[in-house]
């Protein structure tokens, strides 16, 4: 399937922090085995998702990362722990844009709540 355009801007992670009169975006730190970072979002259109992309900052130790797409728990609002799509990434470089292709595409509906978990 060809790339699909979002109907609005999507930024990951969506973590606005007020710093004086400016808005800044923070980052997530993974620095020990077993740690996870997740970003919840809502699908802006129906279609297939077959990959996820993100930017690294400082990488001090290479690692193999598991990247999953999960549903959202209705009770906690956290990722539900069930991967509906997954892939792996050999993380090796700082300040690099990575694209992780899932082992199989997942079909989503408009408005479906999902989480990207690394």
């Amino acid at each position: 399937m060809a790339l699909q355009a979002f109907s609005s801007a999507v930024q990951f992670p969506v973590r606005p922090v007020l710093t004086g009169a400016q808005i800044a975006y923070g980052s997530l730190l993974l620095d020990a085995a077993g740690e996870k970072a997740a970003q919840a979002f809502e699908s802006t259109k129906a279609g297939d998702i077959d990959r996820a992309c993100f930017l690294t900052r400082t990488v001090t130790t290479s690692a193999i990362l598991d990247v999953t797409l999960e549903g959202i728990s209705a009770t906690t609002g956290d990722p539900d722990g069930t991967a509906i799509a997954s892939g792996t990434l050999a993380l090796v470089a700082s300040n690099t844009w990575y694209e992780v292709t899932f082992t199989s595409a997942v079909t989503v509906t408009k408005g479906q709540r999902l989480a990207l978990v690394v």
Side-chain angles (χ1 to χ4, degrees), residues 11-63:
Q11 278 192 303
F12 297 103
V14 181
R15 303 191 89 183
V17 179
L18 292 178
T19 56
Q22 298 179 347
I23 294 178
Y25 288 89
S27 59
L28 301 172
L29 172 66
L30 298 176
D31 63 355
E35 287 186 339
K36 296 180 182 181
Q39 178 60 53
F41 65 98
E42 190 173 287
S43 175
T44 58
K45 65 189 307 182
D48 293 341
I49 299 175
D50 66 354
R51 68 194 73 201
C53 305
F54 56 89
L55 177 68
T56 60
R57 291 296 183 206
T58 304
V59 175
T60 57
T61 305
S62 297

Side-chain angles (χ1 to χ4, degrees), residues 31-118:
D31 63 355
E35 287 186 339
K36 296 180 182 181
Q39 178 60 53
F41 65 98
E42 190 173 287
S43 175
T44 58
K45 65 189 307 182
D48 293 341
I49 299 175
D50 66 354
R51 68 194 73 201
C53 305
F54 56 89
L55 177 68
T56 60
R57 291 296 183 206
T58 304
V59 175
T60 57
T61 305
S62 297
I64 303 295
L65 299 179
D66 294 320
V67 180
T68 61
L69 194 60
E70 301 179 9
I72 300 289
S73 167
T75 56
T76 66
D78 293 333
D80 63 14
T82 302
I84 57 176
S86 64
T88 58
L89 168 69
L91 183 65
V92 294
S94 297
N95 303 312
T96 302
W97 182 257
Y98 286 98
E99 182 175 299
V100 179
T101 301
F102 296 133
T103 54
S104 61
V106 62
T107 301
V108 298
T109 58
K110 183 176 182 177
Q112 184 175 348
R113 296 181 66 219
L114 303 163
L116 179 64
V117 181
V118 179

